[in-house]
Amino acid sequence: MPTATTRRPAPAAPAIAILDDYQRVALSLAEWRNLPAGTTIEVFSEPAQDSDELVARLQGFDVVVAMRERTEFPASVLERLPMLALLASTGLRNAAIDVAACHRLGITVSGSRGHRTGLAATAETAWALILALTKRLVVSDNALRNGHWQPQLADVLMGRRLGLVGLGQIGKRMARIGQVFGMEVIAWSPHLTPDRATEVGARAVSKAELFAEADVVSLHMVLAPETTGLVSLAELACMKSSAVLINTARAGLVDEQALIAALSNRRIGGAGLDVFWHEPLPPGHALLSLDNVVLTPHLGYATHDGLATFYEGAIQNIFDWLAGRQITQLVA
């Protein structure tokens, strides 16, 4: 990784911008007031519409606290922020930040760990989506509000097959909960062994088998070059017409246009999505007009405990940076 020859200096009292505080809770969730006297903080609750607006907004700030994988910081933006000395991300990974460019430009980059309940929160969100789809919660709620009774029949999870794409820490939680519902659990990932699957009561299968056999397919893989577009037209074509796809991991795992086509043509039963290819989801997006999807605005990590821990970690990184101490590194 390129290393800057000159690191931008830390001021005694930094000017800090907090980005993407959609709920306007950042200042109440952590002890920002403990930062050095003279520190100024400005909170932005609405995303910038383009890179020019972002650059104009952030002129004059020494520190930017960035919500993980929200606002993008490519080299073309970073190069236009001559005062930026510390980019403090929430989370330990942030694919929206060009870390190599930060190093080249002398911008320190930090990450902050999440709360101990973070993995559980994501798994719970996935199950909320599964239940909303199979029990027809959203369509039934809308129908009742408009004077209609029982617009659709619900489905039962017991005896159905849960297919987990990825059997890491979140995938294991998903498997255990699926078994409580009385579901058979199958799993696939590139390096999953039968023994590892058996440890959590799952059956290891091939990728093709999983998409063909599962009634619920839930994604729990890290987004990387080799996993981008992992769910393509071919995988969606293999799914049962009644099966649903759940994604609380990363939108890039799925081919966006292939999924929209499969949903529009009723090729699959539905989808529950907590992550999107562009966030916030733009008004007028094709998904918003479909009645066989349940959409949540990336709630998997957005809990009170989760954000409070992220922000406290960011504050600690700011303190350590000002004092010249080691910070928590962002994983590139």
Side-chain angles (χ1 to χ4, degrees):
M1 180 179 293
T3 301
T5 54
T6 304
R7 191 165 296 279
R8 297 182 186 180
I16 301 172
I18 302 174
L19 299 185
D20 300 320
D21 180 20
Y22 303 143
Q23 302 85 15
R24 297 176 173 83
V25 296
L27 295 181
S28 65
L29 287 177
E31 296 296 331
W32 302 92
R33 61 187 176 183
N34 291 336
L35 288 166
T39 296
T40 59
I41 301 175
E42 186 169 354
V43 177
F44 297 92
S45 58
E46 298 293 333
Q49 295 303 304
D50 54 38
S51 59
D52 289 338
E53 181 180 336
L54 178 64
V55 169
R57 177 181 290 184
L58 297 182
Q59 294 296 326
F61 288 102
D62 307 291
V63 178
V64 170
V65 178
M67 184 56 65
R68 62 176 196 152
E69 295 180 15
R70 286 294 177 270
T71 299
E72 293 190 4
F73 284 92
S76 58
V77 166
L78 296 165
E79 289 166 354
R80 297 163 66 191
L81 297 173
M83 281 191 62
L84 179 60
L86 173 65
L87 186 49
S89 175
T90 61
L92 293 178
R93 294 180 181 272
N94 193 333
I97 295 175
D98 187 335
V99 176
C102 288
H103 282 259
R104 174 172 58 82
L105 295 166
I107 302 169
T108 302
V109 192
S110 68
S112 58
R113 293 179 174 83
H115 193 265
R116 60 182 177 80
T117 60
L119 300 178
T122 300
E124 289 171 6
T125 300
W127 278 104
L129 291 169
I130 293 169
L131 290 168
L133 284 164
T134 57
K135 301 305 178 185
R136 310 294 192 267
L137 297 186
V138 176
V139 68
S140 295
D141 179 82
N142 289 336
L144 278 174
R145 294 175 189 277
N146 289 290
H148 303 296
W149 186 258
Q150 287 189 358
Q152 297 179 11
L153 296 178
D155 288 323
V156 177
L157 292 173
M158 184 176 180
R160 302 296 173 90
R161 190 171 287 124
L162 171 64
L164 299 174
V165 179
L167 201 60
Q169 293 303 311
I170 296 176
K172 290 177 182 178
R173 289 176 181 271
M174 294 294 295
R176 289 193 289 268
I177 297 170
Q179 290 153 14
V180 171
F181 277 109
M183 301 183 76
E184 178 191 353
V185 182
I186 58 176
W188 171 85
S189 70
H191 306 294
L192 180 64
T193 64
D195 287 343
R196 281 182 52 213
T198 301
E199 287 174 4
V200 292
R203 175 167 58 91
V205 297
S206 69
K207 181 182 177 185
E209 287 175 305
L210 185 141
F211 280 91
E213 296 179 6
D215 298 291
V216 176
V217 175
S218 191
L219 309 181
H220 303 285
M221 298 278 284
V222 173
L223 183 62
E226 58 271 21
T227 61
T228 298
L230 182 147
V231 182
S232 66
L233 183 63
E235 285 72 32
L236 294 167
C238 288
M239 291 175 65
K240 299 177 182 180
S241 61
S242 58
V244 297
L245 178 72
I246 307 297
N247 192 4
T248 55
R250 291 293 183 269
L253 297 172
V254 182
D255 182 317
E256 180 180 16
Q257 294 309 311
L259 178 59
I260 291 171
L263 292 165
S264 300
N265 298 328
R266 307 281 175 174
R267 176 62 195 79
I268 62 174
L273 306 176
D274 188 48
V275 290
F276 304 93
W277 299 267
H278 181 79
E279 296 185 4
L281 189 65
H285 192 281
L287 287 170
L288 297 173
S289 64
L290 300 176
D291 63 2
N292 54 351
V293 296
V294 176
L295 310 173
T296 51
H298 210 148
L299 296 180
Y301 79 96
T303 67
H304 285 89
D305 289 340
L307 292 192
T309 303
F310 277 147
Y311 285 134
E312 288 292 356
I315 291 171
Q316 185 60 54
N317 279 326
I318 294 171
F319 270 119
D320 290 339
W321 171 71
L322 290 171
R325 296 189 294 266
Q326 184 175 356
I327 60 171
T328 301
Q329 295 292 323
L330 186 70
V331 178

